[in-house]
Amino acid sequence: MGFEIIELKSFGDKNGSLVPLEANRNVPFDIKRVYYIFGTKSDFVRGKHSHLKLKQYIICVSGSCDFYLDADAKGKKLISLNTPLKAIYIEGNVWREFSNFSKDCVILVLANQYYDVSDYIRNYEEFLECRKI
Ligand code: T46
């Protein structure tokens, strides 16, 4: 349970770059769901939840944004995403908020589970309680 920053290997040259993402190779789970987020207003705050079991790879493939992650109920850590060569790997119960979206921000998310509303904790106090157990 927690999160880590993964540096992604890219292939290419001055003419362009390509980053492959492969289940159980450089992405450490079976990929069941892919979605992307774009067109978010700069000052809007997305997220404000944690997941009980979900594993995710989060990549800002265009532009930039800021993630605030709390993995241990000791405070939110800022991770700025501004390159398609960096992924945040999140496993399990980590509170996330993200904001400060550039106009061209596109966030790609790979997940190991289908969308399941029962996997969400949407109340920060409840998240803190869960982390104490
Ligand atoms: C996360 C961050 C990075 C679906 O119908 N299917 C889906 O797979 C998802 C993720 C969302 N939705 C619907 C549910 C809401 O009506 O799309 C709407 C927006 O979802 P939400 O408010 O949960 O979006 P974010 O950006 O706050 O959070 C999402 C993920 O939910 C979350 O798991 O880690 O992206």
Short mmCIF file of all heavy atoms in Angstrom, two decimals, residues 57-94:
data_model
loop_
_atom_site.label_atom_id
_atom_site.label_comp_id
_atom_site.label_asym_id
_atom_site.label_seq_id
_atom_site.Cartn_x
_atom_site.Cartn_y
_atom_site.Cartn_z
N TYR A 57 -1.73 3.31 -12.49
CA TYR A 57 -0.58 4.01 -13.07
C TYR A 57 -1.14 5.33 -13.60
O TYR A 57 -2.08 5.32 -14.40
CB TYR A 57 -0.05 3.20 -14.24
CG TYR A 57 1.38 2.73 -14.08
CD1 TYR A 57 1.83 2.15 -12.91
CD2 TYR A 57 2.28 2.85 -15.14
CE1 TYR A 57 3.14 1.71 -12.79
CE2 TYR A 57 3.58 2.41 -15.03
CZ TYR A 57 4.00 1.84 -13.86
OH TYR A 57 5.29 1.40 -13.73
N ILE A 58 -0.59 6.43 -13.16
CA ILE A 58 -1.10 7.74 -13.56
C ILE A 58 0.01 8.51 -14.29
O ILE A 58 1.10 8.69 -13.72
CB ILE A 58 -1.59 8.53 -12.33
CG1 ILE A 58 -2.71 7.75 -11.62
CG2 ILE A 58 -2.05 9.92 -12.72
CD1 ILE A 58 -3.15 8.33 -10.30
N ILE A 59 -0.28 8.90 -15.52
CA ILE A 59 0.75 9.57 -16.33
C ILE A 59 0.15 10.86 -16.93
O ILE A 59 -0.93 10.82 -17.51
CB ILE A 59 1.21 8.66 -17.49
CG1 ILE A 59 1.75 7.34 -16.94
CG2 ILE A 59 2.26 9.35 -18.35
CD1 ILE A 59 1.80 6.22 -17.96
N CYS A 60 0.86 11.95 -16.77
CA CYS A 60 0.43 13.20 -17.40
C CYS A 60 1.08 13.22 -18.79
O CYS A 60 2.25 13.58 -18.93
CB CYS A 60 0.88 14.38 -16.54
SG CYS A 60 0.23 15.94 -17.12
N VAL A 61 0.34 12.76 -19.80
CA VAL A 61 0.93 12.59 -21.13
C VAL A 61 1.06 13.92 -21.88
O VAL A 61 1.78 14.00 -22.88
CB VAL A 61 0.16 11.55 -21.98
CG1 VAL A 61 0.33 10.15 -21.41
CG2 VAL A 61 -1.31 11.90 -22.11
N SER A 62 0.36 14.94 -21.42
CA SER A 62 0.49 16.28 -22.01
C SER A 62 0.29 17.32 -20.92
O SER A 62 -0.56 17.14 -20.05
CB SER A 62 -0.55 16.46 -23.12
OG SER A 62 -0.61 17.81 -23.54
N GLY A 63 1.07 18.40 -20.97
CA GLY A 63 0.88 19.49 -20.01
C GLY A 63 1.37 19.14 -18.61
O GLY A 63 2.28 18.34 -18.44
N SER A 64 0.68 19.71 -17.62
CA SER A 64 1.13 19.52 -16.24
C SER A 64 -0.03 19.64 -15.26
O SER A 64 -1.08 20.23 -15.57
CB SER A 64 2.19 20.58 -15.89
OG SER A 64 1.63 21.87 -16.02
N CYS A 65 0.18 19.08 -14.09
CA CYS A 65 -0.78 19.20 -12.98
C CYS A 65 -0.07 18.78 -11.69
O CYS A 65 1.05 18.27 -11.73
CB CYS A 65 -2.02 18.33 -13.21
SG CYS A 65 -1.65 16.58 -13.24
N ASP A 66 -0.71 19.04 -10.56
CA ASP A 66 -0.12 18.70 -9.25
C ASP A 66 -0.99 17.68 -8.53
O ASP A 66 -2.21 17.86 -8.41
CB ASP A 66 -0.04 19.96 -8.37
CG ASP A 66 0.99 20.95 -8.88
OD1 ASP A 66 1.94 20.53 -9.57
OD2 ASP A 66 0.85 22.15 -8.58
N PHE A 67 -0.35 16.62 -8.06
CA PHE A 67 -1.04 15.62 -7.24
C PHE A 67 -0.62 15.81 -5.78
O PHE A 67 0.56 16.04 -5.49
CB PHE A 67 -0.66 14.18 -7.67
CG PHE A 67 -1.56 13.64 -8.74
CD1 PHE A 67 -1.46 14.09 -10.04
CD2 PHE A 67 -2.53 12.69 -8.44
CE1 PHE A 67 -2.30 13.60 -11.03
CE2 PHE A 67 -3.38 12.20 -9.42
CZ PHE A 67 -3.27 12.65 -10.72
N TYR A 68 -1.59 15.70 -4.88
CA TYR A 68 -1.32 15.72 -3.44
C TYR A 68 -1.74 14.35 -2.92
O TYR A 68 -2.93 13.99 -2.99
CB TYR A 68 -2.10 16.83 -2.75
CG TYR A 68 -1.63 18.21 -3.17
CD1 TYR A 68 -2.15 18.81 -4.31
CD2 TYR A 68 -0.65 18.89 -2.45
CE1 TYR A 68 -1.70 20.05 -4.73
CE2 TYR A 68 -0.20 20.14 -2.85
CZ TYR A 68 -0.73 20.71 -3.99
OH TYR A 68 -0.27 21.95 -4.40
N LEU A 69 -0.76 13.57 -2.44
CA LEU A 69 -1.03 12.19 -2.05
C LEU A 69 -0.72 11.98 -0.58
O LEU A 69 0.31 12.42 -0.07
CB LEU A 69 -0.16 11.23 -2.88
CG LEU A 69 -0.36 11.29 -4.41
CD1 LEU A 69 0.63 10.37 -5.10
CD2 LEU A 69 -1.78 10.93 -4.79
N ASP A 70 -1.62 11.29 0.08
CA ASP A 70 -1.43 10.94 1.49
C ASP A 70 -1.52 9.42 1.60
O ASP A 70 -2.58 8.83 1.41
CB ASP A 70 -2.51 11.61 2.33
CG ASP A 70 -2.29 11.39 3.83
OD1 ASP A 70 -1.45 10.52 4.18
OD2 ASP A 70 -2.95 12.07 4.63
N ALA A 71 -0.37 8.79 1.88
CA ALA A 71 -0.33 7.33 1.94
C ALA A 71 -0.33 6.81 3.37
O ALA A 71 -0.58 5.63 3.61
CB ALA A 71 0.92 6.82 1.23
N ASP A 72 -0.04 7.70 4.34
CA ASP A 72 0.14 7.20 5.70
C ASP A 72 -0.62 8.02 6.75
O ASP A 72 -0.37 7.88 7.94
CB ASP A 72 1.64 7.19 6.05
CG ASP A 72 2.28 8.55 5.77
OD1 ASP A 72 1.55 9.55 5.63
OD2 ASP A 72 3.52 8.60 5.68
N ALA A 73 -1.53 8.86 6.28
CA ALA A 73 -2.33 9.71 7.18
C ALA A 73 -1.45 10.68 7.97
O ALA A 73 -1.85 11.19 9.01
CB ALA A 73 -3.19 8.87 8.11
N LYS A 74 -0.23 10.96 7.44
CA LYS A 74 0.66 11.90 8.12
C LYS A 74 0.76 13.21 7.36
O LYS A 74 1.58 14.06 7.66
CB LYS A 74 2.04 11.28 8.29
CG LYS A 74 2.06 10.18 9.34
CD LYS A 74 3.46 9.64 9.53
CE LYS A 74 3.43 8.51 10.54
NZ LYS A 74 4.54 7.59 10.38
N GLY A 75 -0.02 13.34 6.29
CA GLY A 75 0.01 14.58 5.52
C GLY A 75 0.12 14.31 4.04
O GLY A 75 0.53 13.23 3.62
N LYS A 76 -0.28 15.32 3.25
CA LYS A 76 -0.30 15.16 1.80
C LYS A 76 1.03 15.59 1.19
O LYS A 76 1.54 16.66 1.52
CB LYS A 76 -1.45 15.99 1.21
CG LYS A 76 -2.81 15.49 1.67
CD LYS A 76 -3.92 16.50 1.39
CE LYS A 76 -5.17 16.08 2.15
NZ LYS A 76 -6.09 17.16 2.46
N LYS A 77 1.58 14.75 0.33
CA LYS A 77 2.85 15.08 -0.34
C LYS A 77 2.55 15.55 -1.76
O LYS A 77 1.73 14.96 -2.45
CB LYS A 77 3.75 13.85 -0.40
CG LYS A 77 4.25 13.40 0.95
CD LYS A 77 5.46 12.48 0.81
CE LYS A 77 6.03 12.12 2.17
NZ LYS A 77 5.23 11.16 2.91
N LEU A 78 3.25 16.60 -2.18
CA LEU A 78 3.05 17.14 -3.52
C LEU A 78 3.92 16.42 -4.54
O LEU A 78 5.14 16.30 -4.36
CB LEU A 78 3.40 18.64 -3.53
CG LEU A 78 3.55 19.31 -4.89
CD1 LEU A 78 2.23 19.30 -5.66
CD2 LEU A 78 4.07 20.73 -4.74
N ILE A 79 3.28 15.91 -5.59
CA ILE A 79 4.00 15.34 -6.73
C ILE A 79 3.55 16.14 -7.96
O ILE A 79 2.38 16.08 -8.34
CB ILE A 79 3.64 13.86 -6.97
CG1 ILE A 79 3.73 13.03 -5.69
CG2 ILE A 79 4.48 13.27 -8.11
CD1 ILE A 79 5.11 12.70 -5.24
N SER A 80 4.47 16.87 -8.57
CA SER A 80 4.13 17.61 -9.79
C SER A 80 4.40 16.73 -11.00
O SER A 80 5.48 16.15 -11.12
CB SER A 80 4.97 18.88 -9.88
OG SER A 80 4.55 19.79 -8.89
N LEU A 81 3.40 16.63 -11.86
CA LEU A 81 3.57 15.85 -13.09
C LEU A 81 3.66 16.81 -14.26
O LEU A 81 2.75 17.60 -14.49
CB LEU A 81 2.39 14.90 -13.29
CG LEU A 81 2.26 13.71 -12.33
CD1 LEU A 81 1.08 12.84 -12.73
CD2 LEU A 81 3.54 12.89 -12.26
N ASN A 82 4.77 16.76 -14.99
CA ASN A 82 4.94 17.68 -16.12
C ASN A 82 5.72 17.02 -17.26
O ASN A 82 6.30 17.70 -18.08
CB ASN A 82 5.64 18.97 -15.67
CG ASN A 82 6.96 18.66 -14.99
OD1 ASN A 82 7.45 17.53 -15.05
ND2 ASN A 82 7.54 19.66 -14.36
N THR A 83 5.72 15.70 -17.27
CA THR A 83 6.41 14.97 -18.34
C THR A 83 5.71 13.64 -18.58
O THR A 83 5.25 13.00 -17.61
CB THR A 83 7.90 14.71 -17.95
OG1 THR A 83 8.43 13.73 -18.87
CG2 THR A 83 8.06 14.18 -16.54
N PRO A 84 5.65 13.20 -19.83
CA PRO A 84 5.06 11.88 -20.12
C PRO A 84 6.02 10.74 -19.79
O PRO A 84 5.73 9.58 -20.07
CB PRO A 84 4.76 11.95 -21.63
CG PRO A 84 5.64 13.00 -22.17
CD PRO A 84 5.96 13.96 -21.05
N LEU A 85 7.16 11.09 -19.19
CA LEU A 85 8.18 10.07 -18.88
C LEU A 85 8.16 9.67 -17.41
O LEU A 85 9.07 9.00 -16.93
CB LEU A 85 9.57 10.58 -19.26
CG LEU A 85 9.74 10.93 -20.73
CD1 LEU A 85 11.12 11.50 -21.01
CD2 LEU A 85 9.50 9.69 -21.60
N LYS A 86 7.12 10.10 -16.70
CA LYS A 86 7.03 9.80 -15.27
C LYS A 86 5.62 9.29 -14.97
O LYS A 86 4.64 9.87 -15.44
CB LYS A 86 7.30 11.09 -14.50
CG LYS A 86 7.50 10.93 -13.02
CD LYS A 86 8.30 12.09 -12.46
CE LYS A 86 7.42 13.23 -11.98
NZ LYS A 86 8.16 14.30 -11.32
N ALA A 87 5.54 8.19 -14.20
CA ALA A 87 4.22 7.68 -13.77
C ALA A 87 4.18 7.67 -12.26
O ALA A 87 5.21 7.47 -11.60
CB ALA A 87 4.00 6.26 -14.31
N ILE A 88 2.98 7.88 -11.71
CA ILE A 88 2.78 7.61 -10.29
C ILE A 88 2.10 6.25 -10.21
O ILE A 88 1.05 6.05 -10.83
CB ILE A 88 1.87 8.65 -9.60
CG1 ILE A 88 2.33 10.07 -9.85
CG2 ILE A 88 1.81 8.37 -8.10
CD1 ILE A 88 1.39 11.13 -9.25
N TYR A 89 2.73 5.33 -9.50
CA TYR A 89 2.11 4.03 -9.25
C TYR A 89 1.47 4.09 -7.86
O TYR A 89 2.15 4.31 -6.87
CB TYR A 89 3.15 2.91 -9.32
CG TYR A 89 2.62 1.55 -8.92
CD1 TYR A 89 1.38 1.12 -9.37
CD2 TYR A 89 3.35 0.71 -8.09
CE1 TYR A 89 0.88 -0.12 -9.00
CE2 TYR A 89 2.87 -0.54 -7.73
CZ TYR A 89 1.63 -0.95 -8.19
OH TYR A 89 1.14 -2.17 -7.83
N ILE A 90 0.15 3.92 -7.83
CA ILE A 90 -0.57 3.95 -6.55
C ILE A 90 -1.18 2.58 -6.31
O ILE A 90 -1.83 2.01 -7.20
CB ILE A 90 -1.70 5.01 -6.56
CG1 ILE A 90 -1.14 6.40 -6.82
CG2 ILE A 90 -2.45 4.98 -5.23
CD1 ILE A 90 -2.19 7.50 -6.79
N GLU A 91 -0.96 2.07 -5.12
CA GLU A 91 -1.51 0.77 -4.76
C GLU A 91 -2.30 0.91 -3.46
O GLU A 91 -1.74 1.29 -2.43
CB GLU A 91 -0.36 -0.23 -4.57
CG GLU A 91 -0.84 -1.65 -4.41
CD GLU A 91 0.33 -2.61 -4.30
OE1 GLU A 91 1.30 -2.49 -5.07
OE2 GLU A 91 0.26 -3.48 -3.43
N GLY A 92 -3.60 0.66 -3.56
CA GLY A 92 -4.43 0.63 -2.35
C GLY A 92 -4.79 2.00 -1.81
O GLY A 92 -4.92 2.97 -2.56
N ASN A 93 -4.92 2.05 -0.50
CA ASN A 93 -5.58 3.16 0.17
C ASN A 93 -4.69 4.40 0.30
O ASN A 93 -4.02 4.60 1.32
CB ASN A 93 -6.06 2.69 1.54
CG ASN A 93 -7.10 3.62 2.10
OD1 ASN A 93 -7.42 4.64 1.52
ND2 ASN A 93 -7.63 3.26 3.26
N VAL A 94 -4.67 5.21 -0.74
CA VAL A 94 -3.89 6.46 -0.77
C VAL A 94 -4.85 7.60 -1.12
O VAL A 94 -5.50 7.57 -2.17
CB VAL A 94 -2.76 6.38 -1.83
CG1 VAL A 94 -2.06 7.73 -1.96
CG2 VAL A 94 -1.77 5.28 -1.49
#
